[in-house]
Amino acid sequence: MVAEPEGTAMVVRSTLLPWPGIQLLLISGCAEPLLPTGGPVDRTPPAISASVPSNGAVNYEEDFVRLEFSEYVDQASFARAFSVTPALSERLRFAWRQRRVDVAFPEPLRDSTTYVLIIGTDLRDVRGIKITSPLTLAFATGPVIDKGRITGSVVEPFRGRGMADIDVLAYQPGALEPAYRTQTDGQGRFVLPYVREGEYSVIALLDRNRNQRPDPSEIFAVPPTQIIHTTEDTTLSLRRWIITRLDTIPPTLDRVRQRDAGIVEARFSEAVVLPGLDPTMWSLADSVTGYRVPILRVFQAADDPVRVFLEARPATPGTYFVEPDSAIADSSANRVRGSVVTVDMEPVENEAPRFEFFRFLPEEQSGEVILLPHQYPELVFSMPPDRAALDTLVTARDSTGAVRSIRIGTRNGTTYTLQLVPPLSQGEIVRVTVSDTLHQVYRRMEDRDLGSLSGTVQRLDIAHPVVIEVYAADEPGLSLATTYADSMGWFEIAGLQEDNYDVRAFIDLNQNSQWDGGQLQPFQPTEPITWTLEAIAVRARWNSALADTLVFHVR
């Protein structure tokens, strides 16, 4: 059977087959196709080879569409990827016959309306090869088809690289369901075709739960303007949309349990930042009498900020309420609230909790550890050491063997930073010893081993500062250095190790020293941002200057 498109209809030509051939055809049309064996590996994604109606057809009156693919496709992935706008109230029905599928509409189509069928990037063939760009088919039930277009790209915020498989949704004012939908391709580009003239609120998001609306946990991109106006038959080109995440969900205390030796483990729903290690910021109270058990120490696991540990020794067994102070928050400054959890406590022996030294930071090496200008030696313990004994536990000696003074601080009770007094000079060596047995040698890097990076950035105004950030090219998201452009847009960052770096700049509109990606409701645009297009090589004893001025694209 061979199907060929002809206008808005499909002409079907059949060939008479003997009975065994008819049986084979019927069997193959009802079963999921099997992979053929032998031959070269197929790496070509499926495509639409024929359709009823044809793309762009008008005056279409049937209650179905027919799609024929260039190869066998995975039927479950097609069901996930397929959508129609305007949306229909009932579920679509699919009838498969080999590489062809008939999609039956469950209700009459609207008069004089343009319908857009989108097959998203979830579609794959039976070998698992996915399409890289959405497939689109449009037709009109009247004599005119809408021809407006919205194009743009969605990129990540550290290098400006395109993001694939991001949903782009266009809503009419006040609507809960999108009027149009598409996805970005492998380079982050998108096209919303066949859009009716009008006003739309357009968003881009990683719609993991497929509910076609932004949820608090999903990453999204804010459009350059709140309302986008499309014309009847022209293309509206929008520049880069920057992916961000607006975390508005506060952390919660999910579980508390008693550990050995009088340690209580409090586990949160996400990583939390402790404003301090003051035990009075926590409450451990008897559920019957209300008596508050004194908490001796508070600390956080060095590599697991989801957990906080309390050292407490209640005199009697029983059930206790654990409540953290509301000043405890996540990295987005969402404060914990409504978190009171019970824990069953048993009496403990009087022996002290076991204390261990874990490791040196930066990571231990057999020889010297080179310290960059912004780095300091650090020590990681299993729990806070006794502060009175810390001075005798840790010693630092220079190359002559002389003992150096140390200021010791901690941010979580288990990771301790050592600042030598006076600070290490260029090329100076220090040997840090723990418990007279474990040691690590550190050397401060000399300026002659470092380089610098400079350039200019566009100044749209002088009222708002322009922040310059430098990232290692192989570690996007980890800022190594930050500075501000001067009134003319010039900047320089010194003290960089020989390496390849990416640079990004943003206008700090709210002056909080971090880039903000905006929000959808109430609408707030992203702070203008720009990047270097290629990594910049920095060499020792050399200033690497950007070849071009960094320019902001605000639309």
Side-chain angles (χ1 to χ4, degrees), residues 514-533:
Q514 64 183 21
W515 177 75
D516 292 294
Q519 60 187 37
L520 298 170
Q521 188 64 36
F523 179 80
Q524 180 177 313
T526 63
E527 291 182 328
I529 188 171
T530 187
W531 312 263
T532 48
L533 298 179

Side-chain angles (χ1 to χ4, degrees), residues 273-287:
V273 179
L274 299 180
L277 302 178
D278 183 359
T280 63
M281 299 184 69
W282 293 78
S283 173
L284 178 64
D286 190 299
S287 63

Side-chain angles (χ1 to χ4, degrees), residues 282-296 312-323 343 345:
W282 293 78
S283 173
L284 178 64
D286 190 299
S287 63
V288 177
T289 66
Y291 170 75
R292 294 185 62 167
V293 177
I295 297 174
L296 306 177
R313 296 171 176 246
T316 58
T319 301
Y320 289 79
F321 292 126
V322 177
E323 182 176 9
V343 59
M345 302 285 291

Side-chain angles (χ1 to χ4, degrees), residues 27 49 61 186 241 266 292 303 330 399-400 436 445 468 476 496 513 541:
I27 293 173
S49 58
E61 298 178 349
W241 297 15
R292 294 185 62 167
D303 55 355
D330 61 16
S399 58
T400 68
D436 296 326
M445 182 173 281
I468 312 297
L496 297 176
S513 300
R541 301 184 298 278

Side-chain angles (χ1 to χ4, degrees), residues 150 153-154 166-172 175-178 180-184 190 192 200-207 211-215 218-228 238 241-243 519-521 523:
I150 302 175
S153 63
V154 179
I166 300 294
D167 284 87
V168 180
L169 310 173
Y171 298 81
Q172 292 176 323
L176 298 178
E177 300 292 334
Y180 299 97
R181 171 187 176 271
T182 190
Q183 287 178 303
T184 58
F190 69 86
L192 281 169
Y200 299 91
S201 174
V202 184
I203 63 172
L205 74 149
L206 186 59
D207 191 17
N211 67 350
Q212 297 191 352
R213 59 178 60 93
D215 295 312
E218 293 174 336
I219 62 174
F220 64 95
V222 175
T225 58
Q226 184 173 12
I227 298 298
I228 295 174
L238 304 174
W241 297 15
I242 320 301
I243 280 292
Q519 60 187 37
L520 298 170
Q521 188 64 36
F523 179 80

Side-chain angles (χ1 to χ4, degrees), residues 4-324:
E4 297 178 351
E6 186 175 294
T8 59
M10 178 174 284
V11 178
V12 178
R13 300 193 182 106
S14 62
T15 302
L16 294 177
L17 297 175
W19 172 244
I22 295 176
Q23 285 183 314
L24 179 61
L25 180 60
L26 292 175
I27 293 173
S28 65
C30 296
E32 188 77 28
L34 298 177
L35 291 176
T37 59
V41 177
D42 175 22
R43 301 191 184 278
T44 303
I48 298 175
S49 58
S51 67
V52 174
S54 60
N55 191 38
V58 296
N59 295 317
Y60 188 66
E61 298 178 349
E62 303 296 335
D63 60 355
F64 72 95
V65 295
R66 175 170 296 166
L67 303 174
E68 184 164 345
F69 290 94
S70 57
E71 56 183 307
Y72 290 105
V73 302
D74 178 80
Q75 296 175 11
S77 73
F78 174 85
R80 292 193 302 269
F82 188 84
S83 64
V84 179
T85 57
L88 303 175
S89 59
E90 302 292 335
R91 295 184 62 179
L92 298 166
R93 298 188 300 272
F94 307 121
W96 287 91
R97 185 176 181 84
Q98 297 186 352
R99 295 178 301 166
R100 191 186 75 197
V101 60
D102 286 352
V103 181
F105 299 131
E107 59 193 64
L109 300 182
R110 306 175 193 174
D111 293 334
S112 300
T113 300
T114 297
Y115 282 85
V116 183
L117 282 55
I118 295 290
I119 304 174
T121 53
D122 283 335
L123 179 70
R124 63 178 185 268
D125 64 19
V126 292
R127 294 183 181 272
I129 306 300
K130 294 177 61 176
I131 62 175
T132 57
S133 302
L135 305 178
T136 302
L137 174 70
F139 63 89
T141 55
V144 177
I145 190 168
D146 298 324
K147 295 183 179 179
R149 289 162 56 91
I150 302 175
T151 67
S153 63
V154 179
V155 301
E156 52 82 24
F158 296 105
R159 292 174 170 171
R161 309 288 173 84
M163 295 195 64
D165 303 335
I166 300 294
D167 284 87
V168 180
L169 310 173
Y171 298 81
Q172 292 176 323
L176 298 178
E177 300 292 334
Y180 299 97
R181 171 187 176 271
T182 190
Q183 287 178 303
T184 58
D185 64 13
Q187 287 72 49
R189 299 169 302 196
F190 69 86
V191 178
L192 281 169
Y194 305 102
V195 176
R196 175 172 291 187
E197 180 178 6
E199 293 183 340
Y200 299 91
S201 174
V202 184
I203 63 172
L205 74 149
L206 186 59
D207 191 17
R208 294 190 181 278
N209 60 6
R210 304 177 188 276
N211 67 350
Q212 297 191 352
R213 59 178 60 93
D215 295 312
S217 61
E218 293 174 336
I219 62 174
F220 64 95
V222 175
T225 58
Q226 184 173 12
I227 298 298
I228 295 174
H229 182 82
T230 61
T231 57
E232 181 179 355
D233 58 359
T234 60
T235 298
L236 177 62
S237 296
L238 304 174
R239 295 187 183 271
R240 298 171 296 192
W241 297 15
I242 320 301
I243 280 292
T244 188
R245 185 193 300 272
L246 185 61
D247 182 6
T248 59
I249 302 176
T252 58
L253 182 57
D254 287 347
R255 187 183 68 175
V256 179
R257 61 172 178 160
Q258 184 182 20
R259 300 285 296 269
D260 296 336
I263 300 296
V264 176
E265 175 190 310
R267 180 178 291 271
F268 287 84
S269 58
E270 59 178 307
V272 294
V273 179
L274 299 180
L277 302 178
D278 183 359
T280 63
M281 299 184 69
W282 293 78
S283 173
L284 178 64
D286 190 299
S287 63
V288 177
T289 66
Y291 170 75
R292 294 185 62 167
V293 177
I295 297 174
L296 306 177
R297 288 184 291 185
V298 176
F299 57 97
Q300 197 170 25
D303 55 355
D304 188 5
V306 168
R307 296 183 297 164
V308 178
F309 298 92
L310 315 176
E311 184 179 354
R313 296 171 176 246
T316 58
T319 301
Y320 289 79
F321 292 126
V322 177
E323 182 176 9

